[in-house]
Amino acid sequence: MDGNGRWAQKRLLPRVAGHRQGVLTLEKIVDKIYDLGVKVLTVYAFSTENTARPKDEVKNLCSLIKEFFTKKLYKFIESQISIKIIGDIDFFTQDIKAVLNEAINKTASFKNKTFCLALNYGARDEIIRAVNKAIAIGKKLTQDDFKNLLDTTNIPDPEIIIRTGGDKRLSNFLLYQAAYSELFFTPDLWPDFTIKKLKEVITEFSSRDRRFGKVK
Ligand code: FPP
């Protein structure tokens, strides 16, 4: 969800206004995406690198995350969407962890639609944590074993990854799981992203030739 800061700057607003608008866009997308046949939506809301942003911005992002779940959890329950978090949430204060755990627990029984939020997430951090778990297990692992040690246990690899904001890189997002993802980069800043744009991506995805390294 890149581009919130620039969206705000263009309007001479503080960066937090961009993040706030970004949350509104996220709500619109969550509201419609599952009707398009998508089963899992994962959003990169706060990276391990984002923790080094100015204290005020980190504080604002944490408040938005808390507010989002405090106000919207009922909607996830109503729509039977299960909430999962990837990343190391030990970074967050007790009140935020409590809100996140409540959201996870109250939606855990829903199986058909998943909303996964990457918080204090970095793929390198995830992989190192998984490797350390593997060392503690102390035996050779298969790919399936290893997958189960990642934060994304039980979440399928992404078929589509969309980065808004114009940059063409993954920035430490799902590096292991993205091995065969179809990548989409759009110049739209995240607050300007729409369901129409999402539908265009899904249409192009349907026409891509996915060979997974094999000859057809
Ligand atoms: C990147 O834009 C965006 C982020 C670092 C935060 C994304 C967070 C939200 C949309 C809100 C919080 C999420 C939830 C679930 C409540 P940027 O700030 O790097 O933008 P820039 O590249 O234009 O500066």
Side-chain angles (χ1 to χ4, degrees):
M1 299 188 288
D2 202 10
N4 296 343
R6 279 164 286 163
W7 185 93
Q9 264 164 10
K10 271 168 64 177
R11 291 162 179 79
L12 305 177
L13 294 169
R15 291 177 62 81
V16 65
H19 294 315
R20 206 165 260 292
Q21 193 66 29
V23 176
L24 295 179
T25 298
L26 178 61
E27 286 171 9
K28 284 187 203 151
I29 298 293
V30 172
D31 203 40
K32 292 275 183 303
I33 192 167
Y34 300 101
D35 295 341
L36 303 178
V38 172
K39 290 195 180 328
V40 181
L41 167 67
T42 299
V43 292
Y44 203 5
F46 191 73
S47 72
T48 44
E49 289 72 26
N50 289 157
T51 58
R53 288 196 176 191
K55 271 200 176 119
D56 259 11
E57 184 167 350
V58 172
K59 220 173 136 197
N60 285 329
L61 281 168
C62 289
S63 303
L64 283 176
I65 292 162
K66 186 174 170 188
E67 187 183 321
F68 178 75
F69 284 114
T70 310
K71 289 196 177 154
K72 300 291 169 185
L73 178 57
Y74 82 96
K75 273 204 155 189
F76 285 92
I77 296 172
E78 219 170 67
S79 311
Q80 308 209 329
I81 300 169
S82 117
I83 294 168
K84 294 189 195 292
I85 308 289
I86 57 171
D88 184 359
I89 67 163
D90 276 346
F91 169 83
F92 296 100
T93 51
Q94 207 47 52
D95 57 332
I96 296 185
K97 280 194 269 194
V99 168
L100 296 175
N101 284 325
E102 186 194 8
I104 295 166
N105 294 334
K106 288 200 168 154
T107 60
S109 63
F110 304 134
K111 300 290 173 224
N112 296 333
K113 297 179 255 179
T114 300
F115 174 74
C116 176
L117 193 60
L119 289 180
N120 190 27
Y121 175 86
R124 288 179 174 177
D125 178 63
E126 176 192 34
I127 291 167
I128 292 296
R129 283 187 285 107
V131 166
N132 285 329
K133 286 180 220 165
I135 291 169
I137 294 167
K139 65 177 179 73
K140 279 194 175 178
L141 301 181
T142 63
Q143 286 195 17
D144 282 342
D145 295 332
F146 188 69
K147 260 187 153 178
N148 286 328
L149 298 179
L150 293 168
D151 295 351
T152 47
T153 320
N154 297 327
I155 300 174
D157 290 345
E159 293 188 289
I160 296 175
I161 293 180
I162 306 170
R163 182 185 182 131
T164 58
D167 287 325
K168 295 188 175 74
R169 52 178 172 258
L170 287 177
S171 298
N172 209 7
F173 184 60
L174 297 176
L175 297 184
Y176 187 86
Q177 299 87 338
Y180 282 98
S181 302
E182 293 296 326
L183 307 181
F184 292 83
F185 300 97
T186 162
D188 303 294
L189 305 176
W190 171 251
D192 296 326
F193 193 71
T194 58
I195 279 289
K196 185 169 174 278
K197 299 262 159 78
L198 177 63
K199 283 182 180 166
E200 286 166 12
V201 166
I202 294 175
T203 304
E204 191 193 323
F205 167 77
S206 314
S207 70
R208 286 199 187 175
D209 184 18
R210 305 186 77 206
R211 295 184 299 283
F212 301 95
K214 296 170 188 148
V215 179
K216 273 203 167 166

